[in-house]
Amino acid sequence: MKTQPKTKSLRQTLPYKLTVLLLLAGLCLAATLACTAIGSVKYSLFQVVQALFREDAEARLIIWNVRLPRVLCGGLVGVCLALSGCILQGVMRNHLASPSTIGVTSGASFVGYLTLVAFPQFYSLLPVGTIVGSFVTTMLIYLLAYEKGVSPVKMILSGMAVSAMFSAFNDIIRSFFSERLANATGHLVGSLNGTVWGDLQLIFPYMLVGVCICFFLPGKMNILMLGDEMASSLGLRVERFRLFLIAVASLLAGASVAVAGLISFVGLIVPHIARLIIGSDYKYLFPASIFLGYSFIVICDTVGRVVLPVGELSVSIVLSFIGAPFFLYLLRTKETA
Amino acid sequence: MYFGFDNVSIAYGKRKILEHVTMEFEKGKITTIIGPNGCGKSSLLKTIPRVVTPYTGGPVYQDRPLKSYSPRELAQRIAYLPQVHTSPRDITIRTLVSYGRYPYKRFGRSMTGEDREMIDRALALTGLDNMGDRLLNNLSGGEKQRAWLAMTICQQPEILLLDEPITYLDIGYQVEVLELIRELGEKLNITIVMVLHDMNFTARYSHRVYALASGGVYAAGTPEEVISRANMEGLFSIDAQILRDEKNNCPFLIPEKLGTHSQKA
């Protein structure tokens, strides 16, 4: 055991937290610009900025039509998943919870596929389907794992089972309706390849609603962390609030699945790193997770784009390389409760 | 009735825990609920923060059923400290205590001067002044319990419910915490209802005692009336020798296994 400082350290002071948030916001901006510049064709920062503001710039086509939507969309997916993970870890009061570890994203993609098969002409219905899917799955996991609080083991196990079940369903749907899903195969498989501005429009409203709601949650989230009994005696309507949180987390996770498919581990890792650097007060944890989630996906996706001499690795593969060992490390440490 | 339980029955599934329990707590006094393990003491207390829902009756405050009040109204009047506490690991005492102001928080507004005043007062009353920046996790058991008490005091409650407040503490901290509870009750005129397992502490610190057993109220009255040889045998199947603690002017009990006394005698 490391010896902890007796009193609060510099890290718990307000100036430190604000500085960290400012730096993280800077990281987002830097990642956006840098990752737009990097790729099979490399541009200078100047060329990137020029292409953003001048329609006749020579790099306009690649930067504006190809790279920027992909970077921004990836970033927003990161925001959604990180916030969703942050909320789920609070709801389940368990650090192993995240949209992917408990099967929420596979539930979302299942209903997403169903939506595409049933209403192939209404592409904008896809996020609605994925959001409904994640809500139902989260409720299912929550009810399955509940016994005087959410048991971590039950949560992970039921998450695994539900997740396996939904991917089996997904395979069935994919093989039966391959022609109807032909133009949607880029979606729902965990890649940002081929992202266009339309995808950004698809995710943006849902993300915006989710993020705005999160600004009103910290006070209550902090109270919830004191346990159901304490929170309830402090005047919080615990069950109602928890249901609301599950809905918000599902909205965010569902929106991300609609444009990027199954992207694992962001919702798990980012809240942890955020907690490590800024503490567990949700007032700072939420914004830190937003900035980190954004930068994390943008950087990982860019790594996947450039790491191979030919072709590219999808962002979910890159994330799994980093995320899986991290998850195992979390399982080993006893801080799961 | 100022505050109490009216005809409360609790069941977990089909298993009935308590049936038709009625209790009344005197304003500004300390009432202790005792009884064997699993008799429903904690469950009864948990009906107040609505963690447990009774199937008949319910808690009553100012002659009105508790459920007719909003959670926020209740939180400004009744504070409850559960037996087991959970908190984030990096929380400071002051942050914890500030959560006691939650029932007074207005939507979208940050802490007011009054809030800060109440936090300082709660810290001072529990002897934690100048310790606000310490991390809760690094405190001794007694200090931790004082910090949680400070949080409940910060709620400015009229009534304070404590579920086994000394269970995980050594005897030194047990005395310290009970003295503090008594002192807070007297200073702030708080009605205190607590669950205890220790009969000698119950006798020493309570004005009134309720004993629960086999689904109902087994005995009620002053510590002298309830902590008697017959009641101890009925409640805990022990043969209790009841002596007198002259210094604290309360009964004092030495427990023996049932049967050992009569054999010797």
Side-chain angles (χ1 to χ4, degrees):
Chain A
M1 268 306 267
K2 274 184 284 180
T3 48
Q4 284 180 322
K6 278 258 162 24
T7 55
K8 74 173 181 182
S9 54
L10 173 73
R11 288 173 49 178
Q12 274 151 319
T13 59
L14 188 62
Y16 169 86
K17 291 186 177 179
L18 294 179
T19 314
V20 168
L21 285 183
L22 211 62
L23 287 175
L24 289 177
L27 178 67
C28 284
L29 190 67
T32 308
L33 289 175
C35 293
T36 315
I38 297 169
S40 46
V41 184
K42 287 191 180 57
Y43 295 103
S44 70
L45 214 55
F46 175 72
Q47 280 172 304
V48 171
V49 176
Q50 200 179 32
L52 294 185
F53 295 106
R54 282 182 46 192
E55 290 195 19
D56 55 342
E58 61 173 315
R60 176 80 177 182
L61 188 70
I62 291 184
I63 291 201
W64 185 263
N65 291 351
V66 180
R67 288 208 190 144
L68 197 62
R70 179 166 178 165
V71 164
L72 290 180
C73 202
L76 295 192
V77 166
V79 170
C80 287
L81 287 171
L83 275 182
S84 178
C86 227
I87 295 173
L88 286 177
Q89 287 178 9
V91 169
M92 309 262 176
R93 220 173 290 122
N94 190 310
H95 289 185
L96 290 175
S98 81
S100 53
T101 47
I102 64 173
V104 173
T105 45
S106 22
S109 73
F110 170 63
V111 183
Y113 275 124
L114 282 187
T115 319
L116 286 180
V117 168
F119 312 101
Q121 64 277 38
F122 298 116
Y123 191 66
S124 56
L125 274 182
L126 179 60
V128 179
T130 51
I131 288 166
V132 169
S134 37
F135 182 74
V136 172
T137 318
T138 319
M139 285 305 293
L140 188 70
I141 301 289
Y142 181 69
L143 294 174
L144 283 173
Y146 197 85
E147 47 167 357
K148 288 185 174 179
V150 173
S151 126
V153 179
K154 274 192 163 184
M155 181 190 73
I156 294 296
L157 290 181
S158 37
M160 264 174 52
V162 167
S163 186
M165 189 178 74
F166 281 128
S167 20
F169 285 151
N170 283 347
D171 283 342
I172 294 173
I173 294 181
R174 265 202 300 265
S175 42
F176 271 87
F177 300 96
S178 50
E179 74 289 351
R180 280 207 205 181
L181 293 168
N183 54 359
T185 40
H187 300 279
L188 301 171
V189 291
S191 166
L192 291 164
N193 194 4
T195 308
V196 292
W197 285 106
D199 295 314
L200 206 71
Q201 282 169 9
L202 208 61
I203 185 177
F204 188 73
Y206 299 99
M207 185 225 66
L208 195 65
V209 170
V211 169
C212 288
I213 292 174
C214 284
F215 276 104
F216 296 99
L217 298 179
K220 289 183 175 181
M221 288 296 286
N222 285 335
I223 297 294
L224 191 64
M225 291 304 100
L226 301 177
D228 286 6
E229 294 175 3
M230 201 71 240
S232 176
S233 76
L234 282 169
L236 185 71
R237 293 176 202 260
V238 173
E239 286 311 318
R240 194 198 280 187
F241 183 55
R242 211 196 302 273
L243 200 66
F244 177 69
L245 288 178
I246 288 180
V248 177
S250 309
L251 172 83
L252 289 163
S256 84
V257 172
V259 294
L262 299 177
I263 291 192
S264 40
F265 295 118
V266 179
L268 178 77
I269 300 174
V270 169
H272 272 278
I273 299 175
R275 209 176 281 118
L276 274 178
I277 59 180
I278 209 154
S280 56
D281 185 341
Y282 276 89
K283 204 156 112 195
Y284 308 103
L285 191 57
F286 275 140
S289 298
I290 289 176
F291 295 141
L292 272 173
Y294 182 97
S295 321
F296 195 55
I297 288 218
V298 168
I299 293 168
C300 284
D301 185 41
T302 307
V303 169
R305 270 197 294 135
V306 298
V307 73
L308 296 183
V310 182
E312 61 172 67
L313 285 177
S314 76
V315 63
S316 56
I317 295 176
V318 179
L319 284 167
S320 298
F321 269 118
I322 308 170
F326 189 82
F327 181 68
L328 293 176
Y329 158 79
L330 284 180
L331 265 177
R332 284 289 297 172
T333 56
K334 287 177 187 164
E335 299 156 17
T336 49
Chain B
M1 176 160 29
Y2 168 61
F3 178 60
F5 296 104
D6 181 31
N7 192 30
V8 172
S9 310
I10 298 171
Y12 289 127
K14 280 190 178 160
R15 196 163 62 96
K16 286 177 178 167
I17 307 278
L18 291 172
E19 283 184 281
H20 312 297
V21 170
T22 298
M23 289 185 185
E24 190 172 347
F25 305 119
E26 223 176 310
K27 197 169 181 172
K29 295 278 162 51
I30 298 179
T31 308
T32 304
I33 303 173
I34 60 169
N37 282 335
C39 72
K41 308 180 291 285
S42 294
S43 304
L44 188 64
L45 228 50
K46 280 177 193 170
T47 58
I48 292 164
R50 302 179 195 186
V51 178
V52 170
T53 315
Y55 69 88
T56 70
V60 173
Y61 170 68
Q62 304 274 29
D63 296 319
R64 269 168 60 192
L66 220 62
K67 55 185 174 203
S68 71
Y69 296 86
S70 77
R72 188 183 161 94
E73 278 179 301
L74 278 185
Q76 294 179 357
R77 289 165 181 80
I78 303 174
Y80 166 75
L81 191 58
Q83 188 184 348
V84 184
H85 315 140
T86 47
S87 70
R89 285 182 310 148
D90 59 345
I91 195 172
T92 62
I93 296 184
R94 175 171 277 275
T95 310
L96 177 73
V97 175
S98 75
Y99 291 155
R101 299 306 295 167
Y102 178 76
Y104 298 90
K105 210 175 159 245
R106 300 237 159 252
F107 185 77
R109 287 256 297 273
S110 56
M111 240 193 277
T112 63
E114 194 199 344
D115 289 333
R116 267 182 279 273
E117 222 169 86
M118 292 314 298
I119 294 167
D120 286 333
R121 191 185 74 137
L123 288 172
L125 279 168
T126 47
L128 294 169
D129 15 11
N130 305 322
M131 285 175 69
D133 286 344
R134 297 269 297 269
L135 292 178
L136 186 69
N137 257 22
N138 291 329
L139 301 180
S140 70
E143 287 167 334
K144 256 184 211 169
Q145 195 65 336
R146 276 196 280 156
W148 284 95
L149 277 170
M151 194 200 95
T152 56
I153 292 305
C154 214
Q155 269 176 270
Q156 296 174 271
E158 279 174 39
I159 298 159
L160 177 56
L161 308 163
L162 302 159
D163 193 356
E164 300 193 27
I166 57 168
T167 295
Y168 298 111
L169 303 175
D170 70 35
I171 194 159
Y173 291 134
Q174 290 188 336
V175 175
E176 179 190 306
V177 166
L178 286 170
E179 287 289 337
L180 175 65
I181 290 169
R182 175 150 76 185
E183 193 189 308
L184 290 172
E186 281 169 7
K187 256 190 210 166
L188 306 171
N189 193 29
I190 298 177
T191 308
I192 291 171
V193 180
M194 59 184 174
V195 169
L196 285 184
H197 272 303
D198 189 305
M199 290 306 122
N200 288 325
F201 282 139
T202 303
R204 188 160 147 191
Y205 288 97
S206 325
H207 297 109
R208 277 184 75 80
V209 179
Y210 275 98
L212 279 181
S214 50
V217 175
Y218 185 87
T222 61
E224 283 79 5
E225 287 162 357
V226 177
I227 300 181
S228 66
R229 193 168 173 181
N231 282 343
M232 289 303 110
E233 184 175 337
L235 284 166
F236 303 107
S237 307
I238 53 168
D239 189 356
Q241 224 183 316
I242 311 286
L243 306 173
R244 188 82 197 159
D245 175 353
E246 295 297 342
K247 188 159 174 271
N248 293 297
N249 194 27
C250 63
F252 180 80
L253 163 154
I254 298 174
E256 304 277 359
K257 200 176 152 194
L258 204 60
T260 45
H261 262 297
S262 41
Q263 277 165 13
K264 275 178 200 162

